[in-house]
């Protein structure tokens, strides 16, 4: 029996839905698992059911699974307690592994973000920033970080959300005492579209434009979307969104890869590598709009972001 503690930090709960999407596989695994802490499904107060404790407590477990990034002081405290109370710590989902979409906020300061939220919206009555001390609110940190930027992480399962196949592979490997076999190559390595080696479009396109394809034919009859001039992030994104046997999900919907599985590895730099990808099909990287926002959409905690107001 393996004991598991699960937590969610700066997240949307999509990763927890992915856990439930294991379906019958989860039913097969449950006899060997014991969830001792999982706030999304079972109430377990950090300070006791009546607030009787003076410090945040999480039960000890062999495996800790955390979704979401680190955005405020409470997230950071929970993360450190989870690290202390678990033998193996798993980062689940791209927010936990690379910051995810919330880390796009690293493009700006918390001060300018508060200005926009509390005083800069036409539908909002302008007011002061919340008093975190008076209302016992956790203080926001200056950055949105991935888990490994604060504690040691033993296993990372990227994805927004991760495909259930890879969650099952990770849990099965932990139960069997072996290393999990997770995708390690790019989306392009599993993309069924055909390539000609050159661009068929003189300009770059965004999603509002329509690529050329025959809806009655398979993906293998559609030219690579990057070659069609669409800013597909397949060359700089880790594959796996289609699970063990499926095609990349965005490509299956005839739209370019959005990059939700993050970088191919910790040693790659999408902002640099995409220059080569565009150049190889005859496109001009300088003509690409919103480079930071587009190429750092899911890995903003890792990217070298220049704040927009600098």
């Amino acid at each position: 029996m393996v004991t598991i503690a699960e937590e969610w930090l700066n997240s949307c709960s999509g990763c927890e839905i992915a856990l439930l999407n294991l379906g019958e596989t989860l039913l097969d695994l449950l006899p060997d698992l014991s969830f001792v802490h999982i706030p999304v499904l079972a109430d377990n107060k950090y300070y006791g059911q009546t607030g009787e404790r003076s410090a945040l407590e999480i039960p000890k477990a062999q495996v800790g699974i955390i979704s979401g990034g680190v955005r405020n002081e409470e997230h950071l405290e929970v993360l450190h307690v989870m690290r202390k109370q678990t033998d193996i710590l798993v980062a689940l989902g791209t927010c936990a592994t690379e910051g995810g979409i919330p880390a796009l906020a690293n493009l700006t300061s918390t001060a300018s973000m508060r200005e926009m939220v509390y005083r800069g919206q036409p539908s909002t009555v302008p007011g002061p920033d919340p008093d975190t001390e008076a209302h016992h609110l956790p203080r926001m940190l200056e950055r949105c970080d991935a888990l490994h930027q604060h504690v040691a992480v033993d296993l990372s399962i990227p994805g927004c959300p991760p495909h259930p196949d890879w969650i099952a592979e990770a849990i099965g490997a932990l139960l069997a005492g072996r290393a999990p076999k997770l995708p390690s190559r790019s989306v392009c390595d599993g993309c069924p579209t055909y390539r000609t080696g050159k661009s068929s479009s003189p300009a770059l396109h965004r999603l509002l434009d329509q690529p050329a394809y025959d809806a009655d034919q398979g993906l293998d009859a559609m030219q690579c979307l990057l070659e069609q001039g669409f800013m597909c992030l397949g060359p700089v994104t880790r594959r796996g969104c289609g699970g063990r046997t499926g095609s990349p999900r965005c490509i299956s919907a005839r739209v370019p890869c959005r990059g939700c599985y993050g970088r191919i590895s910790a040693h790659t730099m999408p902002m640099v590598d995409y220059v080569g990808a565009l150049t190889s099909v005859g496109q001009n990287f300088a003509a690409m709009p919103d480079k930071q926002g587009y190429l750092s959409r899911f890995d903003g905690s890792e990217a070298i972001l220049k704040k927009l107001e600098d």
Side-chain angles (χ1 to χ4, degrees), residues 98 236-237 262-273 299 302:
E98 304 200 48
V236 295
T237 301
R263 299 174 299 166
I264 299 170
S265 78
H267 307 293
T268 58
M269 297 183 68
M271 194 75 75
V272 176
D273 298 338
D299 63 355
E302 305 286 347

Side-chain angles (χ1 to χ4, degrees), residues 121-191:
Q121 296 298 309
S123 60
T124 300
V125 177
D129 291 350
D131 186 335
T132 56
E133 294 294 331
H135 298 292
H136 306 287
L137 297 172
R139 189 175 64 85
M140 180 184 287
L141 303 176
E142 186 58 36
R143 285 176 45 84
C144 180
D145 289 332
L147 306 189
H148 72 89
Q149 291 171 297
H150 294 278
V151 301
V153 171
D154 302 298
L155 176 64
S156 295
I157 308 174
C160 186
H163 194 285
D165 283 355
W166 309 125
I167 299 175
E169 165 63 17
I171 295 175
L174 290 171
L175 291 173
R178 60 173 175 82
K181 297 177 181 177
L182 301 176
S184 60
R185 307 190 72 170
S186 76
V187 168
C188 290
D189 283 311
C191 181

